[in-house]
Amino acid sequence: MSQQQFENFTASSLYCEKCKAAMPVRERLLLVLPDKEIYDYLCTGCASSLGQREVTAGDKLMARAAAPRRSRRAIAPRGLVP
Ligand SMILES: [Zn+2]
């Protein structure tokens, strides 16, 4: 559900509550499953986990194939809508 948020979220720094600051994070491969990989983001200050990210095989392919941005939705001219 929250996957969409994570798509733009290849952050190199995240807010850490312990450090009370945006800290650089280290991405650690946490788990490798047949269809996806789960990465853990660790605070470089206190090593606590600040977040996780799932990368599915599909996501990888999409990321590679996807255009940088989805083209704007064409607006149907009035009167042509059935
Ligand atoms: Zn921290």
Side-chain angles (χ1 to χ4, degrees), residues 8-73:
N8 299 331
F9 169 70
T10 34
S12 54
S13 68
L14 291 172
Y15 183 79
C16 176
E17 285 187 25
K18 279 192 192 173
C19 299
K20 303 218 185 301
M23 298 294 290
V25 291
R26 215 176 9 200
E27 194 182 57
R28 185 182 63 162
L29 185 58
L30 189 67
L31 196 59
V32 179
L33 299 171
D35 60 336
K36 65 183 170 190
E37 297 167 353
I38 298 177
Y39 290 89
D40 207 12
Y41 285 109
L42 299 177
C43 172
T44 54
C46 65
S48 62
S49 174
L50 301 185
Q52 290 179 356
R53 188 164 75 102
E54 286 185 14
V55 179
T56 62
D59 282 344
K60 278 189 186 174
L61 289 177
M62 299 253 286
R64 208 173 300 166
R69 208 153 299 174
R70 235 172 235 186
S71 56
R72 267 181 281 163
R73 201 172 298 170

